[in-house]
Amino acid sequence: SIEDIFRHHVPSQLKSRFLVARRRLHWIGERLEQQLEKCFGSLQRVYFSSKFITSFQNIIHSFKWSSLPGVFSAIQDTASDIPNICAKDCILNEISEELLYKVSNIIPKPFDTKIWSQLGNLLIESVTKKIAIHMFCSSEMSIEERQAKLGRSVLDDAKRYSKLTTRCSTVLDGTATDGNFYDYFFDLLSFKSPQHKVNQKQFFY
């Protein structure tokens, strides 16, 4: 199994990159499956009608990573070959990117500081990682229990960041007493200027 390969055959200094590469193969498999359904309709309906479809589906199936929860639980927090990030965070970051890609029409460029504040970035990162942990990297509870636990965790995030937003506002308008942290709170709520440049030709013509 892939868990055995991970534990016994992948050198410790390569495990983080292995995780990232394996998850990206899974993502590619999902994209290929979607394209196959668009081209040929229901996979169940055409599965036995074409050797090509059968062969292609087998390839897609080999890309899937159904054993991720077992691998995730075996990862050591400190084992990583990628600087400044633990191995578990490597896979959580990958899944977070997948989630954000799926909702890119609703949440465009979530880490673009010209569109989102730092506070917004932190909230998006926190929520997507919680979704990754509870819905993709855990199998200890039933899906209903994991959904309930995720809901409570996201609600806690909403409360915490709502209070932080209020705190930022009170500091910036001068009604709070911790003015020494003004720059910190200002950075949390601010956006970076796109700094558009207009040359002389554009300006006059």
Side-chain angles (χ1 to χ4, degrees), residues 2 63 70 84 111 117 130 146 166 192 201:
I2 195 168
F63 283 13
N84 302 320
F111 298 110
S117 67
K130 283 178 168 60
R146 283 184 279 136
T166 301
K192 289 187 177 179
K201 184 177 181 180

Side-chain angles (χ1 to χ4, degrees), residues 168-188:
C168 289
S169 299
T170 57
V171 170
L172 297 181
D173 67 15
T175 57
T177 57
D178 46 359
N180 292 334
F181 297 97
Y182 184 94
D183 290 342
Y184 168 73
F185 288 117
F186 180 84
D187 288 340
L188 282 179

